[in-house]
Amino acid sequence: MSIKLFDLEKKEFFYEKVPAEAFMQFMYNSMLGRLSVWALFKRAFFSKLGGLWSHSKFSKCTIAGFIKNNNINVDEMLYAPENFKCFNDFFTRALKDGARTPEGVNSPDMVSFPSDGRHLLIRNVSQATSFYVKGQKFNMAEFFKDKKLAEAFEGCDMLISRLAPVDYHRFHFPISGTIVARKEIKGALFSVSPIALVKRLSILWENKRVLNFIENQYFGMCAFVEIGATNVGSIVNLRSVGESVERGDVAGYFNFAGSCVITLIPKDKFQWNETLIEMSSQNVECYTKAGKFAGK
C-alpha cells in the first residue's frame, strides 16, 4: 500500500510507501493482530524496549544504512552522522541554524507548520465527520479529558501533523505567544500510521499526549498537542510554562519512531493555505517541512 500525498513545495502528487506495511495491515486489520496490539504493542513497556535499543551503542551501526535508504539530507545536520553515539542521538538530531527558519515576518497573526511531515487540516473540528475516511468524528472532551476545555475550543480548526520514522523529529512552535499551561495525559501507545487511524481515529485521544496552551496576542488561546505512538520512548519539551516563545522556535522532540503533533486555532481566525484546504477536504495529506507558512 502506498499513501497518496501532495507536496506543497513541489505542487505535485506523489506516493509514499507505508513503513512495515504488511505488519501494520496484520496488526490493525486482523483479529489476531488487534489482540497483539492490545496485549503488547500499545503498552509502554514495549516502547521502552525499543527505547533501550535506540539508546544502546549497538544501534549506532544502523545509522549509515538508515540515512542511505531514506535519502536523508546530512548537509543540514548540526553534527555529522559519525558523531552520534546511538541511533536515538541521530533520530533526535538538531539542525544547523537556518535549516527550518519560519517563513514570513514574525507577527502574532502568523501560523507555520510545526514539523516535517504529512499535514491534514480539519476546519470546524466539532462538526467535521471526515478524518482520513468519511464518517469519523473527533471527541474533543476525551481529547482534553476536560469538558470545559472542549467547550472552550468548540469549532476550532485542527491541523494534524504526522511524522514518519524517516522525518526530522524535532517539533517547532507554530505560533508566537506565552505558554500559560501544560497538561500531560497518560495513555496507550498505538501507532499513528494512517492504516491505524483509518480504522480507529480514537487513537488520537487514547494515546499518551502533552497539551500545551499558548496565549497568542491575535488568536487568543490556542493549543499545541504532542502525541506519543508505538516505540516513542518519551516526549521531551524544551520550553517551560510561563515562557514567551516565537513562531519557529524548537519546542521539543520525540525519542525514536513515528509520532504526531496537533495545532488548534480558534475558528475563523486564520486564512489557511488554499491547497491545504482543498487536499484535506479529499482526505489527502500535504507534505511540507517545519517553518513553512501555513496560510495564503
Side-chain angles (χ1 to χ4, degrees):
M1 172 185 175
S2 294
I3 305 171
K4 183 180 180 181
L5 302 170
F6 187 83
D7 191 308
L8 284 178
E9 293 181 62
K10 297 179 180 178
K11 302 187 183 307
E12 63 184 23
F13 290 102
F14 70 101
Y15 288 86
E16 181 178 75
K17 185 73 175 172
V18 176
E21 179 203 347
F23 180 72
M24 292 298 301
Q25 292 285 6
F26 169 73
M27 287 292 102
Y28 288 91
N29 291 324
S30 72
M31 184 176 294
L32 179 59
R34 289 191 292 270
L35 179 61
S36 299
V37 169
W38 178 85
L40 177 62
F41 296 106
K42 75 163 192 173
R43 308 290 176 178
F45 75 84
F46 179 79
S47 292
K48 285 180 181 178
L49 289 175
L52 287 173
W53 171 82
S54 70
H55 282 85
S56 73
K57 62 181 181 180
F58 305 106
S59 65
K60 181 176 180 176
C61 63
T62 65
I63 295 174
F66 190 91
I67 289 173
K68 181 179 179 180
N69 293 337
N70 294 289
N71 297 313
I72 292 172
N73 183 2
V74 297
D75 293 334
E76 65 181 9
M77 295 180 189
L78 183 59
Y79 301 108
E82 58 269 22
N83 291 331
F84 297 121
K85 295 180 180 179
C86 62
F87 187 84
N88 195 69
D89 283 353
F90 156 73
F91 190 79
T92 60
R93 63 193 177 275
L95 303 183
K96 295 175 182 176
D97 288 344
R100 295 295 183 274
T101 299
E103 290 182 332
V105 296
N106 203 356
S107 62
D109 60 345
M110 300 278 279
V111 179
S112 58
F113 291 98
S115 69
D116 288 15
R118 300 126 203 84
H119 308 272
L120 188 76
L121 175 67
I122 308 298
R123 305 178 81 188
N124 193 352
V125 65
S126 304
Q127 301 299 319
T129 57
S130 182
F131 288 79
Y132 299 100
V133 293
K134 293 188 180 298
Q136 298 197 99
K137 291 194 70 173
F138 200 90
N139 191 324
M140 293 288 280
E142 282 299 309
F143 183 66
F144 285 114
K145 288 294 182 188
D146 187 311
K147 288 185 179 180
K148 289 186 177 180
L149 277 174
E151 290 171 0
F153 282 88
E154 179 78 20
C156 68
D157 292 338
M158 172 182 285
L159 179 68
I160 303 173
S161 302
R162 187 175 59 81
L163 294 76
V166 298
D167 291 315
Y168 160 67
H169 258 67
R170 296 199 171 207
F171 44 85
H172 299 240
F173 289 107
I175 58 172
S176 299
T178 301
I179 307 171
V180 296
R182 177 173 289 150
K183 179 180 181 181
E184 183 170 340
I185 299 175
K186 296 185 188 239
L189 290 170
F190 291 107
S191 169
V192 292
S193 162
I195 291 176
L197 291 172
V198 162
K199 292 290 185 180
R200 189 173 180 170
L201 183 66
S202 61
I203 285 171
L204 295 179
W205 60 83
E206 291 177 20
N207 273 15
K208 172 184 177 180
R209 55 204 179 278
V210 178
L211 289 74
N212 299 277
F213 297 94
I214 302 173
E215 182 68 36
N216 171 276
Q217 181 182 338
Y218 180 80
F219 301 120
M221 187 62 69
C222 303
F224 183 58
V225 184
E226 305 135 15
I227 300 177
T230 304
N231 274 336
V232 172
S234 60
I235 301 170
V236 178
N237 283 280
L238 300 176
R239 306 297 290 270
S240 302
V241 173
E243 286 191 63
S244 293
V245 299
E246 297 289 338
R247 179 175 64 92
D249 287 351
V250 177
Y253 57 86
F254 294 103
N255 278 311
F256 188 50
S259 33
C260 175
V261 291
I262 287 178
T263 304
L264 296 168
I265 303 289
K267 181 183 178 182
D268 298 329
K269 283 283 191 175
F270 183 67
Q271 293 187 325
W272 296 94
N273 179 292
E274 292 181 349
T275 303
L276 174 67
I277 293 172
E278 175 61 25
M279 291 298 114
S280 296
S281 71
Q282 302 172 39
N283 288 317
V284 175
E285 295 172 309
C286 291
Y287 180 84
T288 194
K289 295 179 179 179
K292 295 296 182 182
F293 182 51
K296 290 185 178 181

